[in-house]
Amino acid sequence: MTTDTTVTELNTAAAILAAIEDPSGREIHDPATGEIVGRTGEGSPADIDAAVAAARKAQPAWAARTSQERSELLNKAADAIEASAEALAELLSREQGKPLNGPNARFEVGACAAWLRANASFELEPEVLVDDGETHAELYYRPVGVVGAVGPWNWPMMISVWQFAPSLKMGNTVVLKPSEYTPLSVQALVAVVNQVLPADVLAVVPGDGAVGAALTSHADVDKIMFTGSTKTGQAIMRTAADNLARITLELGGNDAGIVLDDADPAQIAGDLFWGAFINTGQTCAAMKRLYVPESLYDQVCQALVEVAGQSPMGVGLEEENVLGPLQNKQQYDIVARLVEAAKDGGARVLMGGDPVADQPGFFYPTTLVADIDNDNPLVAEEQFGPVLPIIKYTDLDQAVEWANELEVGLGSSVWGTDLDACRQVAARLEAGTTWINKHGAVDPRVPFGGVKKSGFGLEFGLEGLKHVSVPQVISW
């Protein structure tokens, strides 16, 4: 429905669940406790057909609104999220597992509102390409049509907004397919936002991989946005070829951080830790491997142990916790396997690495691993959990070579006090984004995307708007 003011009936977790739950649907369990969070309906390819048809029908009227009118509605959607913020954060914490505090559930809900407001503020003006007295050419960006968006389970609400906020701003309509692990969070977000958006402009269809495939292969979907694994991204790319749908893929990463020999271990330890352990390490652009010069190695290791020891892990609804469980058993098993591979390879576990037997939930302890070979599976594969391998180097060129040798390239970082030296190293790293003295610090104004098998296309900022549009040149 559409209203002139924000509707606030969905301001408790119980009210939101009542609005979105299917009493006969599939149970969703809290990964921290095993308790039932709620029940989700399961869509079908036929539901995708219906949602896409409705989105196709609604799109011309939505595109006919002025950019300012669409921005006003995006700001009202942000107001609606803020009015329901605590309820959304509680549901997110219970379904995904992330704690309320720290860079977690409340942070994620706040980011949803912030990204909507940022996109509402962007204006993609026509560009004059040539004006020489004989030829005048201008470049315009038009709506692409219907956007099909498939999101992950690690930041289910925030990444959904990354997909639909710029799409809606440019006059597209959107059909979302959330992860099977976190469908309630995305359905809740859409229910809150749809209090102020016109009907059928934004829809969500939960379901399994067949439902996702029905969306990404749909003949009436003009643009596909996907965040997830490289393997699934490759499959989407193959199916999209039949329809020549435009694609933005944000895929897996194994981000490297390089500490330079002039860094201050005590000063950077906190940012190093959260660069790696944000969302309990379940972030595509988290730092997954850290290269430290021999001269600072012991100091950096000790500083990280101290920060980790002050970062409690536990059930997300308990206010003191800032680290939570792995979201699902499959991811838990991957993390456990890679830590065992590190132990088998002779690495030294500084802390963690020994999960408590028979503990409820998918908790893997905060784990720091030192004296590990660069070719160990814990370094070469993406762990996507609360584990950080710390690799010693004696030659900076070798560290850069190690950082670049993998087939992924989402993010990277360089740490030191000489900014010129940091920038020189950053320029040598093969990644879509390289941060200096921070890691994973995304900004709605700054384009973000990967290289190599971490995907292609850009999100955020004016470039992000261009990637959910089609260019048109008008020349006379």
Side-chain angles (χ1 to χ4, degrees):
M1 62 183 173
T2 306
T3 61
D4 293 329
T5 57
T6 298
V7 178
T8 58
E9 281 86 353
L10 302 180
N11 59 5
T12 68
I16 290 176
L17 273 174
I20 65 171
E21 260 197 300
D22 179 348
S24 62
R26 177 172 60 92
E27 292 179 352
I28 299 295
H29 294 265
D30 185 333
T33 65
E35 297 173 351
I36 297 175
V37 178
R39 293 174 180 271
T40 181
E42 294 283 77
S44 67
D47 293 316
I48 290 291
D49 288 341
V52 171
R56 174 69 65 191
K57 185 176 180 181
Q59 194 271 329
W62 177 246
R65 292 175 182 256
T66 66
S67 179
Q68 181 179 354
E69 288 172 338
R70 291 195 296 270
S71 290
E72 288 172 356
L73 284 168
L74 291 187
N75 279 317
K76 287 183 178 181
D79 292 341
I81 289 173
E82 289 169 347
S84 301
E86 190 64 14
L88 289 171
E90 180 182 331
L91 177 59
L92 176 63
S93 179
R94 293 183 65 211
E95 180 179 51
Q96 201 281 337
K98 63 183 65 185
L100 291 170
N101 290 319
N104 294 299
R106 288 177 177 135
F107 169 87
E108 179 168 351
V109 174
C112 290
W115 245 263
L116 279 163
R117 296 196 192 284
N119 279 275
S121 72
F122 299 149
E123 291 298 335
L124 196 52
E125 302 291 348
E127 302 173 30
V128 176
L129 304 176
V130 179
D131 187 15
D132 62 4
E134 294 183 1
T135 299
H136 187 95
E138 295 180 351
L139 175 62
Y140 293 80
Y141 289 92
R142 310 300 192 194
V144 67
V146 177
V147 174
V150 180
W153 50 259
N154 57 334
W155 295 93
M157 291 184 182
M158 185 175 72
I159 290 178
S160 292
V161 171
W162 289 2
Q163 295 169 332
F164 74 70
S167 299
L168 295 179
K169 169 65 179 181
M170 291 307 298
N172 305 295
T173 52
V174 182
V175 178
L176 298 171
K177 190 276 176 187
S179 167
E180 299 96 307
Y181 291 113
T182 53
L184 296 174
S185 296
V186 179
Q187 291 175 82
L189 177 69
V190 171
V192 168
V193 168
N194 273 346
Q195 294 175 106
V196 300
L197 292 179
D200 301 324
V201 165
L202 176 65
V204 56
V205 181
D208 58 15
V211 174
L215 179 62
T216 59
S217 63
H218 203 287
D220 283 332
V221 169
D222 305 289
K223 167 80 184 189
I224 298 165
M225 303 184 76
F226 172 73
T227 297
S229 71
T230 297
K231 182 179 179 181
T232 302
Q234 291 168 324
I236 287 173
M237 209 172 159
R238 292 186 191 100
T239 59
D242 290 339
N243 301 319
L244 289 180
R246 288 165 168 80
I247 309 177
T248 295
L249 298 175
E250 195 263 88
L251 307 178
N254 194 343
D255 289 13
I258 298 179
V259 176
L260 303 186
D261 58 12
D262 67 341
D264 181 337
Q267 183 176 3
I268 66 175
D271 289 331
L272 282 174
F273 179 82
W274 284 113
F277 289 89
I278 183 172
N279 197 30
T280 314
Q282 299 166 106
T283 299
C284 293
M287 184 168 59
K288 310 287 173 47
R289 48 199 173 114
L290 180 62
Y291 296 96
V292 180
E294 185 175 22
S295 60
L296 297 179
Y297 192 78
D298 291 340
Q299 296 175 63
V300 169
C301 287
Q302 182 57 38
L304 283 170
V305 168
E306 292 173 4
V307 174
Q310 299 166 9
S311 305
M313 175 182 287
V315 175
L317 296 183
E318 296 173 0
E319 296 280 349
E320 70 273 15
N321 294 322
V322 292
L323 298 169
L326 277 305
Q327 202 286 322
N328 53 78
K329 180 63 161 56
Q330 179 181 6
Q331 195 57 44
Y332 178 95
D333 290 344
I334 291 171
V335 171
R337 172 180 64 80
L338 291 174
V339 173
E340 289 305 308
K343 293 178 182 178
D344 293 344
R348 177 166 55 103
V349 177
L350 299 174
M351 66 178 298
D354 188 17
V356 177
D358 300 322
Q359 179 185 25
F362 303 128
F363 287 98
Y364 198 93
T366 306
T367 301
L368 295 167
V369 178
D371 299 335
I372 185 169
D373 294 334
N374 188 63
D375 59 359
N376 189 278
L378 179 59
V379 180
E381 300 178 31
E382 182 182 26
Q383 70 273 39
F384 216 72
V387 179
L388 179 65
I390 309 167
I391 306 99
K392 184 186 300 181
Y393 75 85
T394 56
D395 179 77
L396 179 58
D397 290 338
Q398 177 68 80
V400 171
E401 182 180 335
W402 283 340
N404 287 338
E405 70 181 7
L406 299 184
E407 58 185 11
V408 289
L410 190 56
S412 61
S413 57
V414 183
W415 305 75
T417 56
D418 184 337
L419 289 181
D420 285 338
C422 288
R423 284 192 288 264
Q424 289 174 20
V425 175
R428 299 171 60 190
L429 295 178
E430 298 169 0
T433 299
T434 298
W435 292 277
I436 293 176
N437 292 324
K438 54 188 175 182
H439 198 111
V442 294
D443 185 311
R445 302 164 298 178
V446 180
F448 176 74
V451 299
K452 301 194 282 189
K453 288 190 177 179
S454 288
F456 56 81
L458 291 172
E459 299 175 278
F460 314 162
L462 293 179
E463 291 300 318
L465 296 186
K466 293 177 182 178
H467 283 250
V468 289
S469 309
V470 289
Q472 180 189 25
V473 173
I474 299 179
S475 182
W476 63 90

